[in-house]
Amino acid sequence: MTRRRALAFAATAAAVVVIDQVTKEIVRSSLALNESVPVVDGLLWLTRVHNTGAAFGILRGQQWLLIGTSLIVLTAIGWAIVRVRPESLLMRTALALVTGGAIGNLIDRVVSGGVTDFFDLGWFPIFNVADIALDVGVALIVLWLLFSKEHHHEAADDRADVAEVQES
C-alpha cells in the first residue's frame, strides 16, 4: 500500500474511533444509565444503555469472546492490508470503517466491560457510531464482492490459474 493510501486508511479508521469515543463520552456525561431523551419525537431518541453483548444483544456477558473476536478481525484486516493490498478505494474504505468500528467498541469492552449504545429508533436495537461504521463497512464489502467487476475479474484469473496448474 502506498504511503498516501496507508495514511487515508489510518485517518478514516482514526476518525471513526474519535467520533465514536467522543459521542459516547458526551452521552455518558449527559444521560444516566437507561435515561432517554427524544431527538426527533416518535423517530429518534438518545437512550444510554450499557451493552455487554454483541449486535442485537447476543452473547451477553461474553466479553472475552467478543474481545478475542475483535482482535482476530483486526489481525485479519491488518493481514489483508499488508499482504493482499486491495486496489479498490471502496474496499480500502470498507476495511477502514470496520477497523475503526471494531477499535471503538473494543475500547469500551476493555475499559468498561461493555459498550455504550445510545441511538434509539424505538423499533431497532440501540446502537452507536462504531456500530454504524461496522455495518456500513461490512455492507460495502458485501457489495464489492457481489458486484465489483474488479473482483469478478480477479476471481476469473484465479480460476484460470488453478485450471492451468491442474492441467500441468
Side-chain angles (χ1 to χ4, degrees), residues 24-82:
K24 288 173 179 174
E25 185 52 39
I26 290 169
V27 166
R28 285 189 294 261
S29 65
S30 303
L31 296 174
L33 197 57
N34 300 316
E35 181 181 359
S36 185
V37 295
V39 176
V40 179
D41 200 30
L43 184 63
L44 174 66
W45 297 262
L46 293 181
T47 303
R48 179 181 167 199
V49 297
H50 183 77
N51 181 3
T52 62
F56 306 105
I58 62 171
L59 300 172
R60 275 199 171 87
Q62 301 295 315
Q63 290 309 304
W64 290 111
L65 175 64
L66 295 169
I67 288 169
T69 302
S70 295
L71 294 173
I72 290 168
V73 166
L74 291 169
T75 301
I77 291 171
W79 177 86
I81 292 297
V82 171

Side-chain angles (χ1 to χ4, degrees), residues 4 14 17 26 38-39 42 54 93 97 99 101 109 122 135 138 145 153-154 159:
R4 190 171 122 212
V17 173
I26 290 169
V39 176
T93 302
L97 290 172
T99 298
R109 290 187 199 293
D135 291 345
V138 169
L145 289 171
H153 180 70
E154 289 172 6
R159 285 191 298 274

Side-chain angles (χ1 to χ4, degrees), residues 6 19 22 38-39 56 66 95 98 108 125 148 155:
I19 294 166
V22 167
V39 176
F56 306 105
L66 295 169
L95 292 172
V98 172
D108 281 17
S148 169

